[in-house]
Amino acid sequence: MRVPSYRGLTFQSIKDSGAVLWHDLMAGHSVEALVDLAGENAELAAEIARFADEVVNCGLMRPTTEAPVPAAPPRLPHKPRP
């Protein structure tokens, strides 16, 4: 998936898990909710947070204080917490 960056007319390439995270964030899932889906997988939780920081820093998304209602279930694979 290629996403335009409006800062300098460049394209950011989003592959694999990044495309899934992009979809989930655009569908209205919060970063916190997606990190929670990572369960005890600290590496995945860190990757989700890093991806969210990057898309904000690139100007592709912006943080919000509103609690959106997700438009679709998350695509991020997860394991329920025990």
Side-chain angles (χ1 to χ4, degrees), residues 54-71:
E54 282 190 20
V55 296
V56 168
N57 290 336
C58 288
L60 299 173
M61 290 186 179
R62 63 177 183 218
T64 181
T65 56
E66 299 174 18
V69 176

Side-chain angles (χ1 to χ4, degrees), residues 34-58:
L34 296 175
V35 166
D36 192 48
L37 286 177
E40 295 179 13
N41 186 338
E43 185 178 332
L44 178 58
E47 182 67 19
I48 294 166
R50 183 200 59 75
F51 179 82
D53 286 343
E54 282 190 20
V55 296
V56 168
N57 290 336
C58 288

Side-chain angles (χ1 to χ4, degrees), residues 2-81:
R2 292 174 58 114
V3 180
S5 172
Y6 297 103
R7 291 186 182 183
L9 301 176
T10 60
F11 284 86
Q12 304 296 324
S13 177
I14 301 175
K15 299 188 299 184
D16 306 324
S17 62
V20 172
L21 290 172
W22 178 267
H23 172 271
D24 288 349
L25 291 168
M26 291 299 292
H29 296 281
S30 69
V31 174
E32 294 81 9
L34 296 175
V35 166
D36 192 48
L37 286 177
E40 295 179 13
N41 186 338
E43 185 178 332
L44 178 58
E47 182 67 19
I48 294 166
R50 183 200 59 75
F51 179 82
D53 286 343
E54 282 190 20
V55 296
V56 168
N57 290 336
C58 288
L60 299 173
M61 290 186 179
R62 63 177 183 218
T64 181
T65 56
E66 299 174 18
V69 176
R75 289 186 180 175
L76 182 69
H78 65 283
K79 293 181 181 177
R81 290 182 187 245

